[in-house]
Amino acid sequence: MSKLRIAFIGLGGIAKNAHLPALKGLGYKVDFCVDIDTGRVKEFTENVGCKGYADYREMLKNENPDVVLVATPHAFHAQIAVDALENGSHVYIEKPMALTVEEATKIVDVAHRKNRFIVVGHNGRFSYRNYTAAKIIHKGVVGKIYYARGFILRQRGIPPAPTFLKKELARGGAVYDIASHALDMLLYFIGYSKPVSVKGFTYRAFGERVDEFGGTYPQPPIPGLTSDVEDFGSAFISFDNGIAMYVEVSWAGYLKESKVEYVVLGDRGGVHVDNTNLYYISSAGKELFVGSHVGLNIHVDTYAEVWKKLLNAIEKNDEACLCPATTAEQGFINTAILESIYKSSMSGKEVELNIPDKIVEHAKNQLKCLVNE
């Protein structure tokens, strides 16, 4: 294994509690770290033994890392990723990859021009249930897909931190935060058909009640904290091949239960994935309707799996090694839909998408490993 120099930009909870242990488990260490909070830098450097910076541009210029993790507030993902790519680094971007199609275009263009790899932090693809569901679907056993839906719903779970709740840092709320995950999972399952239109809805119902509806991640609730952004979002997405998709997410609400659920329906079978189970439903002749419960309680460090794919692709200089991690082209499509949800909600009208065919084809091809396994 060659020595890869790794840098973290952004030292919040996701970097410290997920990415750092994942890399250590794989036998890698963090060489450089950056955060505008010098207290975080001091704590991280003392615990990890890396070199710290307060300015990421200075770090890039001085250290030329091989791989950069971008784990800052959402508003800064795209610019930092572009600067790191221009500097010659491969990049792991926490979700969402970008906030606008313009930003996503820059990331894809620079990655291609500099011949660098990108993965986006949709680690849920690697849970054993989701990965198995994707393989079932991609092998064609559900037949022609016509509908997919996804829910990530919380009763009380507004992130009690300004980085999630203030527009200047996050730009949006539950849609950018967790609808990005739901969309990624469904696009992963259906194999990146081309989306053509979006009708979206967003609501800020509990912005003044974070004390009541706040969760405990990434930190304990801050008394008096309010939210500028939406805590509920939903969208209907149409695809060029007739597939219809529905997504619904909530940070908080008067729901019967909190849940994560994905359903994909085809004319030969259906797949249902929830918090703990995977079901494959099919029929045997006219008389029998068969539901198979696939018990898959196998623990996987999903963050480590994404890192493993990126580091292996770098070592072998082979983009195919990224599969099935979320790539730049796949992140582009996710970003285009997310941006359109907000545009549609603001205008009250359906928004048409015009995603380049080459982006869609690249996104499809990057999931070929699911068919071959």
Side-chain angles (χ1 to χ4, degrees):
M1 182 185 295
S2 64
K3 176 72 168 64
L4 293 174
R5 290 150 54 88
I6 299 172
F8 279 14
I9 301 177
L11 303 178
I14 200 75
K16 292 188 297 183
N17 301 323
H19 292 285
L20 181 62
L23 279 171
K24 289 177 68 175
L26 294 173
Y28 289 84
K29 71 184 187 73
V30 178
D31 299 282
F32 316 107
C33 66
V34 183
D35 200 288
I36 60 172
D37 184 335
T38 55
R40 280 184 174 180
V41 174
K42 183 176 185 294
E43 178 187 3
F44 197 88
T45 55
E46 289 176 352
N47 290 338
V48 176
C50 62
K51 186 174 180 180
Y53 286 85
D55 185 331
Y56 80 88
R57 292 184 177 90
E58 181 183 0
M59 184 276 294
L60 292 174
K61 180 181 177 181
N62 291 348
E63 309 296 351
N64 293 307
D66 300 296
V67 191
V68 168
L69 168 69
V70 180
T72 63
H74 301 161
F76 311 112
H77 283 188
Q79 187 59 60
I80 295 173
V82 167
D83 289 342
L85 291 164
E86 290 283 13
N87 198 71
S89 301
H90 302 277
V91 178
Y92 186 143
I93 313 174
E94 261 303 334
K95 57 79 194 166
M97 183 183 86
L99 304 182
T100 66
V101 168
E102 181 181 5
E103 290 181 349
T105 300
K106 289 180 181 177
I107 291 172
V108 171
D109 288 349
V110 176
H112 286 182
R113 176 164 51 81
K114 300 294 286 189
N115 194 28
R116 300 291 90 177
F117 297 132
I118 291 175
V119 293
V120 187
H122 295 295
N123 57 298
R125 290 187 178 201
F126 288 89
S127 87
Y128 204 79
R129 288 186 301 278
N130 294 335
Y131 184 53
T132 302
K135 289 194 293 182
I136 290 171
I137 295 166
H138 282 255
K139 290 180 185 298
V141 296
V142 301
K144 180 177 173 58
I145 297 169
Y146 59 88
Y147 180 73
R149 74 168 188 252
F151 300 117
I152 302 179
L153 304 175
R154 303 175 187 168
Q155 294 173 313
R156 284 182 169 86
I158 299 175
T163 50
F164 285 91
L165 304 185
K166 299 306 176 183
K167 282 189 175 180
E168 67 269 20
L169 298 175
R171 295 290 191 267
V175 170
Y176 276 141
D177 181 32
I178 52 179
S180 60
H181 277 315
L183 278 169
D184 180 79
M185 194 63 62
L186 293 175
L187 292 166
Y188 170 56
F189 285 158
I190 72 170
Y192 284 88
S193 299
K194 184 177 182 178
V196 294
S197 67
V198 175
K199 184 70 172 76
F201 306 85
T202 62
Y203 299 95
R204 177 182 174 272
F206 304 105
E208 309 302 326
R209 300 165 67 184
V210 176
D211 285 353
E212 180 183 356
F213 283 92
T216 57
Y217 176 85
Q219 59 193 26
I222 301 172
L225 181 66
T226 60
S227 170
D228 301 338
V229 296
E230 83 284 349
D231 39 65
F232 177 92
S234 64
F236 296 92
I237 303 111
S238 298
F239 294 80
D240 65 345
N241 57 358
I243 293 177
M245 181 182 290
Y246 177 67
V247 173
E248 183 178 312
V249 296
S250 174
W251 273 346
Y254 293 109
L255 303 161
K256 184 183 74 171
E257 61 184 353
S258 299
K259 67 176 179 178
V260 177
E261 177 185 278
Y262 301 106
V263 173
V264 176
L265 300 180
D267 60 6
R268 294 290 181 182
V271 168
H272 180 124
V273 187
D274 60 28
N275 299 55
T276 56
N277 298 294
L278 164 62
Y279 297 91
Y280 170 63
I281 300 96
S282 61
S283 58
K286 296 180 181 180
E287 292 79 20
L288 299 177
F289 195 69
V290 182
S292 299
H293 172 225
V294 185
L296 296 170
N297 294 316
I298 299 173
H299 174 72
V300 176
D301 184 340
T302 56
Y303 289 92
E305 291 301 311
V306 180
W307 275 109
K308 191 185 302 182
K309 292 294 181 180
L310 176 59
L311 297 169
N312 190 38
I314 295 169
E315 295 284 354
K316 296 182 177 178
N317 192 29
D318 184 358
E319 183 184 53
C321 294
L322 294 176
C323 182
T326 304
T327 62
E329 288 78 13
Q330 293 168 0
F332 182 108
I333 295 170
N334 192 309
T335 298
I337 296 173
L338 293 172
E339 184 183 23
S340 295
I341 293 173
Y342 286 107
K343 286 182 175 180
S344 176
S345 181
M346 290 179 63
S347 69
K349 299 178 181 179
E350 187 175 48
V351 172
E352 293 186 359
L353 295 174
N354 187 26
I355 298 173
D357 288 338
K358 65 179 181 180
I359 293 285
V360 177
E361 289 306 309
H362 207 142
K364 288 180 179 179
N365 290 336
Q366 288 163 333
L367 289 179
K368 284 185 176 179
C369 67
L370 293 170
V371 178
N372 299 328
E373 285 197 15

